[in-house]
Amino acid sequence: MVYRPTARVLTVLELLQTHGRMTGAELARRLEVNIRTVRDYIQMLGDLGIPVEAVRGRYGAYRLRPGYKLPPLIFTEDEALALTLSLLMAREHELAQTSPAFEGALTKIERVLPTTTREHVQAVEQTVIIESDAYRAAPALAVVTILSSAVHRRRCVCLGYRSARAETTKRTFSPYGIMAHEGVWYTIGYCHLRQSQRLLRLDRITRAALTDETFPSPENFDMRGAVLRSLASVPRVWQVEVWLEATLEEARRKSQLTQGHFTEGNGGVLLRVEVEDLQWMARLLAGIGLPFTIHHPPELRTALRQHAQTMLDYAERTP
């Protein structure tokens, strides 16, 4: 296990709290350091005002002064939520080998929080679905908190929402859940303004407030599936159609597109997808490592040539 110096000092404190007393040799073995370094860590704890006593003699050891209690750990609500979201995202990013540590940290944070803050943190943990790369359009913590509480308690919210065209509307919304997908955070639910189910981006919510109005949650609601279906139906600027020389499994795995439509046949796969940015599509095609043929739009060929020329220019550079 790899420790940073600060982490080692805190680990000494935790070991002494847990075991009562430990010898320098035991601490050194646990931390994978020498005895002299353990003494330095004990001195650092003393400098921080934590009374560690050295029990001398044949069975000498270190211990915290009897009766000493650490002061309670205090977080503001924003700090607790920030820590919770960070831990949840780390847990979802395939850090399976350290997942017990994340679970332990979440449990410890919840244990020291005031009741109201703990309820908010638990609402976030229980309602937010986080997929990879959930950082491109991060929402305000207050918005996550209010929406999580609304989902958890089945309460409607009053929202100020800014559209992609920068038009702001005020609406009442019944949120069914929250999901972070491909760098953007979403909530899906019933929009009372539009009188239909809608998908909203959290980074476009300008204000949010809980109301006293409640709503019934839909039975067997598939949050992830609903979000992905809604994203697939969002109108885009460019209708792209590209033939890929690959199997269906290869095309899906290498393109990593969740909103495209793949049709297998004639020794390859026809990909149909709607995108806003042709330069982004050109970069994707250049990086998938599969032979392809662009059917349309012709502007994608131009974007691909521009990307290829940029790469060629970089390749020709010399120190």
Side-chain angles (χ1 to χ4, degrees):
M1 182 177 293
V2 177
Y3 291 92
R4 293 178 181 175
T6 304
R8 287 194 180 107
V9 174
L10 295 176
T11 301
V12 170
L13 177 57
E14 185 174 357
L15 288 170
L16 293 177
Q17 284 183 292
T18 302
H19 299 281
R21 55 187 289 166
M22 295 185 72
T23 67
E26 288 174 325
L27 290 169
R29 179 176 56 81
R30 290 288 191 101
L31 299 175
E32 301 175 0
V33 297
N34 57 44
I35 296 291
R36 178 175 297 178
T37 304
V38 169
R39 294 194 191 102
D40 291 338
Y41 295 156
I42 296 297
Q43 180 62 48
M44 290 180 190
L45 289 174
D47 292 341
L48 292 171
I50 299 172
V52 179
E53 296 181 342
V55 181
R56 302 185 182 279
R58 181 179 178 184
Y59 301 103
Y62 293 105
R63 68 179 183 183
L64 291 175
R65 180 184 298 162
Y68 175 75
K69 299 291 185 182
L70 280 172
L73 189 61
I74 299 174
F75 292 111
T76 66
E77 187 163 297
D78 282 352
E79 289 170 342
L81 289 166
L83 280 170
T84 300
L85 288 173
S86 298
L87 289 166
L88 288 173
M89 284 189 279
R91 185 175 65 182
E92 296 299 324
H93 277 62
E94 299 179 357
L95 297 175
Q97 70 275 17
T98 52
S99 58
F102 289 117
E103 297 297 339
L106 284 167
T107 301
K108 288 180 180 178
I109 289 172
E110 289 182 5
R111 193 163 55 227
V112 300
L113 295 177
T115 302
T116 302
T117 305
R118 182 167 61 248
E119 289 175 353
H120 288 164
V121 167
Q122 289 173 341
V124 170
E125 186 177 357
Q126 293 169 14
T127 59
V128 177
I129 297 174
I130 299 177
E131 294 193 338
S132 60
D133 302 323
Y135 307 100
R136 181 162 57 87
L141 278 174
V143 171
V144 178
T145 305
I146 292 170
L147 284 173
S148 298
S149 296
V151 174
H152 192 62
R153 300 161 64 183
R154 299 180 182 178
R155 295 262 296 274
C156 296
V157 288
C158 182
L159 300 179
Y161 191 73
R162 184 184 65 254
S163 70
R165 297 178 180 178
E167 299 170 347
T168 302
T169 55
K170 181 180 178 181
R171 63 187 72 193
T172 300
F173 191 74
S174 303
Y176 301 153
I178 301 171
M179 179 173 173
H181 175 72
E182 293 189 350
V184 182
W185 292 64
Y186 301 96
T187 181
I188 194 168
Y190 184 81
C191 177
H192 296 248
L193 175 66
R194 306 304 182 192
Q195 296 187 347
S196 63
Q197 182 172 291
R198 289 299 173 97
L199 181 73
L200 304 181
R201 287 178 52 154
L202 266 63
D203 61 300
R204 291 180 181 166
I205 294 176
T206 58
R207 62 177 297 273
L210 277 172
T211 71
D212 294 328
E213 183 181 355
T214 61
F215 64 90
S217 295
E219 293 184 8
N220 302 319
F221 185 69
D222 177 11
M223 174 67 187
R224 181 177 279 103
V227 169
L228 295 180
R229 285 192 297 273
S230 295
L231 288 172
S233 65
V234 174
R236 304 295 185 184
V237 175
W238 298 99
Q239 305 283 335
V240 173
E241 187 173 297
V242 178
W243 185 83
L244 303 172
E245 190 176 318
T247 64
L248 182 60
E249 190 276 333
E250 285 178 324
R252 284 176 170 163
R253 175 170 51 83
K254 292 196 172 184
S255 69
Q256 296 185 339
L257 286 171
T258 58
Q259 301 173 32
H261 181 73
F262 299 85
T263 304
E264 192 171 24
N266 299 322
V269 175
L270 185 64
L271 167 64
R272 295 187 180 93
V273 65
E274 296 176 330
V275 300
E276 296 179 3
D277 186 353
L278 283 184
Q279 293 291 339
W280 175 86
M281 190 67 199
R283 293 193 295 271
L284 184 144
L285 290 173
I288 61 176
L290 296 173
F292 60 87
T293 302
I294 297 173
H295 288 190
H296 61 257
E299 289 87 352
L300 180 55
R301 299 178 186 275
T302 301
L304 191 62
R305 291 190 190 98
Q306 291 173 346
H307 178 68
Q309 185 60 54
T310 300
M311 295 298 100
L312 183 60
D313 291 343
Y314 289 161
E316 296 299 323
R317 287 183 176 181
T318 57

